[in-house]
Amino acid sequence: MSHAATLTPEVLTSLIAMVREHTGIAMTPRKSILLERRLQPRLQALSLHSYQAYLDKVASDREEVAHFIDLVTTNDTLFFRTPQIWEYFGERYLPAWARQHPGGCLKVWSAAAASGEELYSIAMVCEQFKVQQPAFRYQIFASDISQQILNAARAGQYSGRSVERIRLSHPELLRKYFTASPYGVQVNDELRQHVSFALHNLLEPLRPAQQFDVVFLRNVLIYFDAEHQETVLRQARHSLKDDGRLILGESETIARLGTGYQFEFPMIYKTGEA
């Protein structure tokens, strides 16, 4: 790609529209530098000399859409992000669920699972609960819109900041559920055997339809405008059991959507709520 190539205001507008079309994510022109940084290596790999040429390729090549989604989606996550969530899930929710569902199998959906730190945090909390309740069973369904990042979650190999975070916060779990690998650490099969993966866009219904006891939808709504937030929440509600629980990020709330949006979520949890 020529160093003279620039992201003009007109092309930036088209790019933002294409991001919204394929992911539902609402970006603003302030993200221009971020978009340039993420797209430049792909333009170079394809020997394209302008951002418009790349947009034309995405519009005409279905296979390139997947690469585009991988490039523009955000996948920053950590093990046990927001301690209050995990204290609630392990110390309050799981004991209550087990009492109410003797012999049942807990079904959890980690929506927008990114590179997998959240879903394996869920699995570790469930495994620790099994120490107290050996009959407890669980299944985790993990989804993301990016095939590349979903493959990383499936591989379960971590290094750098992710490993340092869990080494500092939960060293005993790092020793118990991970083994050393050439890449850093590898999630043990004890956790991975409980997880299934699927490519999924949160704006669309799950196929096939499933019903979950818990849906983790953390730090996702902030990337959507109100219209798409409504769609994502409706899809999540369709996938929750009647007594299911939706877990949002600490900075998220459905109340900000206003009175025009009515959702029947009898069991919602986020930081600071019961």
Side-chain angles (χ1 to χ4, degrees), residues 79-96:
F79 290 104
F80 296 105
R81 184 176 179 179
T82 313
Q84 299 97 316
I85 291 287
W86 305 104
E87 292 168 7
Y88 160 78
F89 183 61
E91 298 174 14
R92 295 174 54 191
Y93 178 80
L94 290 182

Side-chain angles (χ1 to χ4, degrees), residues 27 33 77 81 130 145-146 152 191 196 221 238-239 256 267-268 273:
M27 287 188 170
I33 295 176
T77 185
R81 184 176 179 179
K130 280 184 67 176
I145 194 173
S146 167
L191 300 185
S196 60
L221 296 178
H238 292 326
S239 297
R256 68 181 179 180
M267 309 288 271
I268 302 175
E273 295 185 2

Side-chain angles (χ1 to χ4, degrees), residues 237 240-246 263-268 274:
R237 185 65 188 94
L240 268 177
K241 295 180 181 179
D242 290 341
D243 62 347
R245 179 153 294 201
L246 174 71
F263 301 97
E264 295 296 329
F265 282 113
M267 309 288 271
I268 302 175

Side-chain angles (χ1 to χ4, degrees), residues 81-145:
R81 184 176 179 179
T82 313
Q84 299 97 316
I85 291 287
W86 305 104
E87 292 168 7
Y88 160 78
F89 183 61
E91 298 174 14
R92 295 174 54 191
Y93 178 80
L94 290 182
W97 185 91
R99 288 193 300 269
Q100 296 165 7
H101 303 84
C105 179
L106 179 75
K107 294 189 65 179
V108 183
W109 179 15
S110 176
S115 49
E117 285 92 335
E118 176 182 85
L119 73 93
Y120 292 121
S121 296
I122 297 169
M124 283 185 274
V125 173
C126 288
E127 285 296 320
Q128 290 299 101
F129 184 68
K130 280 184 67 176
V131 174
Q132 308 167 37
Q133 301 282 345
F136 173 70
R137 297 181 298 127
Y138 69 97
Q139 296 176 349
I140 301 170
F141 174 73
S143 69
D144 200 274
I145 194 173

